[in-house]
Amino acid sequence: MGTGLRRQSQTRRLTLSGVRGTVARSRDFTARALADWGWASVGREPCDDVLLIVSELVTNACLHADGPTGLVLRHTPEALRIEVADTGSEPPRVRPSAVTLPGGHGLVILERLARSWGSTPLEGGGKVVWAEVAPPEAPTAPGTPTPPATPTAPGPPDPDPGADPETGADPEPRP
């Protein structure tokens, strides 16, 4: 496939009912779709963000429902919509958690990486938890001039946060 971003709409579906290794399988499925759609040609960060969102949504379906039943990726020129279906009836909600403790951070991560997210009940039971992300910017074509960098004068070095503010000396070592 080409190296540019594909701009047409496409949908890919993965059935996950009764499948072992759903998180890894979902990430692999998504990585292949992103590569086919040209996301890999613009750098790792957009792909890594999408893979983290997929991991969080599928993991939440494993932890808070009876596991995911399916993953749908809807790619349009405007957005990538990630949908994870499960049999649970409770909509996801952000839970207060201590930053230092594991767990409870998945939806916080989702809020930071996705431009929008939510859940939709399914007729007959269950729900779909979805997230939308903006597509990455297309890479600049070879030979396209880029604006020159504006030279800046170097500033003073950042002070050592552990140094004495008066003298700049390092504090005494702690036992």
Side-chain angles (χ1 to χ4, degrees):
M1 311 269 160
T3 58
L5 283 174
R6 290 192 166 203
R7 296 294 180 186
Q8 74 269 15
S9 298
Q10 290 189 11
T11 300
R12 301 223 177 149
R13 290 178 169 75
L14 176 65
T15 301
L16 294 170
S17 296
V19 174
R20 297 178 64 88
T22 56
V23 175
R25 187 177 196 149
S26 297
R27 286 177 59 91
D28 291 346
F29 173 82
T30 302
R32 283 191 305 276
L34 294 176
D36 289 349
W37 294 331
W39 284 51
S41 67
V42 294
R44 287 187 52 182
E45 186 175 338
C47 291
D48 289 347
D49 288 353
V50 169
L51 294 175
L52 181 55
I53 290 169
V54 167
S55 295
E56 291 299 332
L57 292 177
V58 173
T59 298
N60 283 350
C62 291
L63 294 175
H64 305 293
D66 289 332
T69 57
L71 167 65
V72 177
L73 304 173
R74 298 180 193 281
H75 183 264
T76 68
E78 297 79 33
L80 172 64
R81 183 175 172 109
I82 303 154
E83 301 174 357
V84 175
D86 65 48
T87 58
S89 59
E90 282 294 310
R93 60 184 168 83
V94 178
R95 299 166 197 217
S97 64
V99 176
T100 57
L101 297 176
H105 306 290
L107 294 179
V108 174
I109 291 169
L110 186 62
E111 285 181 340
R112 291 192 179 169
L113 296 179
R115 77 173 169 197
S116 62
W117 72 275
S119 70
T120 306
L122 293 172
E123 195 172 305
K127 68 182 174 300
V128 170
V129 181
W130 56 267
E132 289 186 353
V133 295
E137 294 297 319
T140 306
T144 303
T146 56
T150 306
T152 58
D158 291 333
D160 180 355
D164 181 303
E166 294 288 320
T167 65
D170 285 334
E172 292 186 26
R174 296 178 191 199

